[in-house]
Amino acid sequence: MQVELVERASRGDREAFTSLAASHVDRCYALAYRILRDPHRAQDATQQAMLGAWRDLRSLRDPERFEAWLYRLVVHASYVEARGERRWMARVRVISTELPLSPDVARSVADRDELETAFRRLSPEQRAVVVLHHHLGYPLTEIAATLGIPEGTARSRLHYAVRQLRAALDEGSTLVTSEERPA
Amino acid sequence: MNRDIDRLDPAFDPRIADWLEADPDRAPREVLETVVAAMPSIPQRRALRAPWRLPEMLTPARAAVAAVLGVLLVGGAIFVFQRPGWSNVGGPQLSVSPSHSASTSDAPGASSPLGLAIIGLDGSVRQDLRLPVDAWMADLSSDGSKVAFTTSDKGFGFCGGCGEPRYAAVAAIGATGGHYLYPEGDVVSPGGIEHLTWSPDGTRLAFVGLDPTGNRDIYVGDVGSVDGSQVAALTIRRLTTDPAIDEFPAWTPDGETIVYANLGSEPPDDSGFSYTQEIWRVSVDGGTPVRLTNNQSADTMPDVRADGLVVFWREGQTFTIDLEGTGEARLRNAPDAFNPRWSPDGSKLAMLRYDPSDRARFPATYAIGPSYPLLDVIVVDLATGKITPIGPRVASDVNPPSWTPDGEALLIARYDDGG
């Protein structure tokens, strides 16, 4: 069914592409959000990827690869968003007024905060492999094929990223800081 | 999600998977609505002819063809382009807003709202360079004879700063052609070159290189002479190796040192900046970088004056510091604007300032997705504080203007629809 929709859409059938888009928009957004950590940028990246998919659909030779191809567009659109415009905005510190958390909940919140901070330190390319691996469950070969990179590159990015994230979670983490700069 | 991989893959950590699971899974309704509304105004492209653009689809026959073509393209490392066809590299226009009617003209001699141009301080167009309309992160050599910039691969279409791969290119002012630069001598992705800046003597380029791991560091490359016929190899060497992003390289007047910004240990916040961003310098011969600023504010976008004084942006203000990291001072006459660039005589700064008007948007006609706010090019007289708007606007703060040798004009990667 999807193959037929892809073939029809590649011949200019907008209804067919709308059906495809509707069935994939949530997963595309989920992927972009997990890379970018920002709902507005994830929204922009998803829109960019889907419009790019409509525009370039005729270049997709194998309709059965539509989903992987679309995910690649989402990832690349996320790279663009991650390197996008810079804005100077006033920074406002929000003072929390919540009641103290129980130790277990506090630890969970702390872990999530540490993961968020550590994840944001990763490059967009490293984030993408983490998300494809840990959220979509892609093995390295599929990650490499989806992103159009060598499997060795995917492996090194994933292992570096996971090591950084684990270090943030585990006690006694020793991330390299700007003070410990190699020559 | 396929959890079978967790039993097989040491790189899998269930804590990371559980953390990602908690993120939202539903797209806002307007995402699909915007896509559906925009589709009628976006024509579908013809199928690509180059089989290597879809590596997963290579058959043995196609692989052989791709290999032959790859040898021809990569082995020679020369891309010679002809000016009449260059401005058509963008392909069909895209529009997310059906009501928008801006258009570019590819006819020789016709002006384009996009592309590099030399603009006088009075706003007059001295020269439309007629280079690729997606020329990005451009820099004019100090003698005004040549320009370096990045541009996307042919066929992708315009998208400033995006599209893979993007190549570095050099063109002589007034020439009919130019060269792509192919990096040799170190580990850097050929499509990962940004922030090109000429050395004072015009023989080298400093730039930000993206290596295969995704890291961004400062590189220097030796460039051969540009006369439209020679191989444009860029023999490069890497100057920095730290894991944080290094960017915005700037040469000292003696050509011996690169001043740049390093993101530091903290990632950027929603403003796009980090309080650990600092200004550093490193010798072009390599060695240990030296930090010039050290504070809890974002310091970035440095430039070096002829007497060695470093100017940089700090959270809406403009500061100076010397190359030893002392004598820090705020420039009180400089407005809240980005990417300060010294004039040749050091008396003025060219800067980029956001236009708060909703009209001043870089429309989606020239990019896939929503529009972006434009920036005005301004020149500030530091003695009087007088601000002169130059007229053309640019689409990003990574496109600072660069001065002509006479200090009376600027090279600008402009977007200007006359509105």
Side-chain angles (χ1 to χ4, degrees):
Chain A
M1 180 63 177
Q2 175 169 288
V3 170
E4 181 187 341
L5 283 174
V6 173
E7 291 173 343
R8 283 170 48 199
S10 68
R11 294 191 292 268
D13 186 333
R14 291 183 202 145
E15 281 189 21
F17 187 84
T18 300
S19 295
L20 285 172
S23 64
H24 287 85
V25 65
D26 287 339
R27 298 198 77 180
C28 289
Y29 177 81
L31 174 59
Y33 182 92
R34 283 157 176 78
I35 295 173
L36 292 167
R37 319 306 301 165
D38 180 279
H40 302 295
R41 288 188 165 183
Q43 187 170 331
D44 290 349
T46 305
Q47 287 169 186
Q48 291 179 40
M50 291 203 145
L51 290 173
W54 163 251
R55 183 193 65 183
D56 295 328
L57 189 54
R58 294 176 185 178
S59 66
L60 177 62
R61 303 299 174 87
D62 183 359
E64 292 187 359
R65 295 285 299 169
F66 174 78
E67 185 172 89
W69 177 74
L70 180 61
Y71 284 167
R72 180 190 291 195
L73 296 181
V74 171
V75 170
H76 286 173
S78 299
Y79 291 166
V80 171
E81 281 295 322
R83 294 192 287 265
E85 64 166 348
R86 295 164 185 206
R87 276 195 289 284
W88 165 240
M89 292 161 43
R91 270 182 283 163
V92 176
R93 290 189 184 278
V94 177
I95 307 300
S96 173
T97 57
E98 294 178 353
L99 294 174
L101 299 171
S102 68
D104 287 344
V105 177
R107 181 66 250 172
S108 175
V109 170
D111 284 349
R112 294 189 63 80
D113 286 345
E114 285 162 354
L115 263 179
E116 186 76 35
T117 300
F119 194 82
R120 286 176 179 271
R121 289 178 189 158
L122 301 176
S123 71
E125 292 81 3
Q126 292 161 345
R127 296 184 199 177
V129 293
V130 170
V131 174
L132 290 174
H133 191 61
H134 284 77
H135 179 64
L136 295 183
Y138 280 16
L140 279 172
T141 51
E142 189 67 24
I143 292 173
T146 298
L147 299 181
I149 59 177
E151 190 174 329
T153 300
R155 181 181 298 109
S156 65
R157 286 181 188 175
L158 178 63
H159 280 263
Y160 174 85
V162 171
R163 187 170 75 242
Q164 296 296 93
L165 296 175
R166 280 175 172 156
L169 287 170
D170 298 336
E171 287 186 357
S173 63
T174 54
L175 292 173
V176 174
T177 68
S178 60
E179 299 296 336
E180 302 162 10
R181 183 185 307 277
Chain B
M1 165 168 178
N2 180 9
R3 289 285 187 161
D4 289 340
I5 61 171
D6 55 4
R7 292 194 290 274
L8 304 174
D9 188 347
F12 180 83
D13 192 314
R15 295 173 295 178
I16 300 172
D18 291 340
W19 173 67
L20 289 171
E21 281 292 309
D23 286 334
D25 283 322
R26 294 297 300 271
R29 186 179 58 196
E30 55 265 33
V31 173
L32 185 61
E33 290 175 351
T34 301
V35 171
V36 172
M39 279 169 52
S41 59
I42 298 176
Q44 289 186 313
R45 284 180 172 174
R46 292 177 301 171
L48 293 172
R49 295 175 189 170
W52 64 84
R53 292 294 293 269
L54 298 168
E56 71 274 15
M57 299 312 303
L58 283 177
T59 63
R62 290 175 180 174
V65 171
V68 171
L69 291 174
V71 169
L72 291 175
L73 288 172
V74 174
I78 299 175
F79 295 91
V80 179
F81 57 89
Q82 298 301 317
R83 188 164 61 180
W86 200 233
S87 56
N88 195 34
V89 71
Q93 296 176 22
L94 307 172
S95 176
V96 175
S97 171
S99 63
H100 190 83
S101 58
S103 63
T104 59
S105 169
D106 300 327
S111 63
S112 166
L114 284 166
L116 296 178
I118 295 179
I119 309 293
L121 296 190
D122 59 359
S124 61
V125 179
R126 280 193 181 184
Q127 189 174 4
D128 184 342
L129 298 187
R130 307 293 289 159
L131 291 173
V133 294
D134 68 339
W136 206 248
M137 296 183 180
D139 188 46
L140 185 67
S141 60
S142 57
D143 65 358
S145 68
K146 53 200 174 192
V147 57
F149 56 95
T150 67
T151 181
S152 68
D153 188 26
K154 291 182 224 177
F156 187 88
F158 177 86
C159 187
C162 70
E164 288 192 295
R166 285 192 67 82
Y167 295 109
V170 172
I173 301 297
T176 57
H179 301 87
Y180 287 113
L181 298 175
Y182 197 87
E184 299 173 348
D186 207 324
V187 179
V188 66
S189 301
I193 292 181
E194 303 172 339
H195 295 288
L196 292 158
T197 55
W198 287 103
S199 61
D201 64 2
T203 63
R204 293 167 291 171
L205 284 167
F207 59 92
V208 173
L210 187 71
D211 72 17
T213 69
N215 196 10
R216 279 178 166 82
D217 284 295
I218 304 298
Y219 293 74
V220 182
D222 297 312
V223 184
S225 60
V226 180
D227 62 5
S229 64
Q230 291 188 355
V231 175
L234 186 68
T235 306
I236 66 174
R237 58 188 178 281
R238 188 172 188 169
L239 301 187
T240 64
T241 58
D242 61 274
I245 292 174
D246 296 324
E247 54 189 351
F248 299 109
W251 293 83
T252 55
D254 61 4
E256 297 298 318
T257 304
I258 303 296
V259 178
Y260 63 97
N262 176 271
L263 187 65
S265 58
E266 290 301 315
D269 58 19
D270 289 344
S271 71
F273 299 101
S274 165
Y275 69 86
T276 56
Q277 267 174 309
E278 307 291 355
I279 307 299
W280 293 70
R281 62 172 167 86
V282 65
S283 167
V284 296
D285 296 323
T288 303
V290 175
R291 183 161 65 183
L292 302 185
T293 62
N294 186 6
N295 50 63
Q296 296 295 301
S297 299
D299 299 331
T300 185
M301 303 173 180
D303 191 34
V304 188
R305 200 165 66 177
D307 61 358
L309 187 64
V310 180
V311 68
F312 60 96
W313 179 92
R314 175 185 290 169
E315 300 188 359
Q317 298 178 325
T318 306
F319 280 76
T320 58
I321 198 167
D322 62 31
L323 288 169
E324 299 309 313
T326 61
E328 183 179 292
R330 180 184 158 216
L331 290 179
R332 297 189 179 281
N333 281 338
D336 181 358
F338 295 100
N339 247 321
R341 288 291 177 267
W342 293 110
S343 60
D345 66 0
S347 66
K348 303 184 186 67
L349 290 174
M351 307 179 77
L352 299 178
R353 182 175 62 180
Y354 273 109
D355 184 335
S357 160
D358 282 343
R359 279 189 61 255
R361 307 283 296 186
F362 182 53
T365 300
Y366 302 105
I368 303 172
S371 57
Y372 294 89
L374 292 168
L375 297 107
D376 292 320
V377 179
I378 60 173
V379 170
V380 183
D381 186 315
L382 293 175
T384 64
K386 179 183 177 184
I387 297 174
T388 303
I390 302 303
R393 291 165 292 185
V394 299
S396 168
D397 62 358
V398 298
N399 282 321
S402 48
W403 291 86
T404 56
D406 62 4
E408 296 296 326
L410 295 163
L411 173 74
I412 297 174
R414 64 176 179 169
Y415 170 75
D416 186 4
D417 64 355

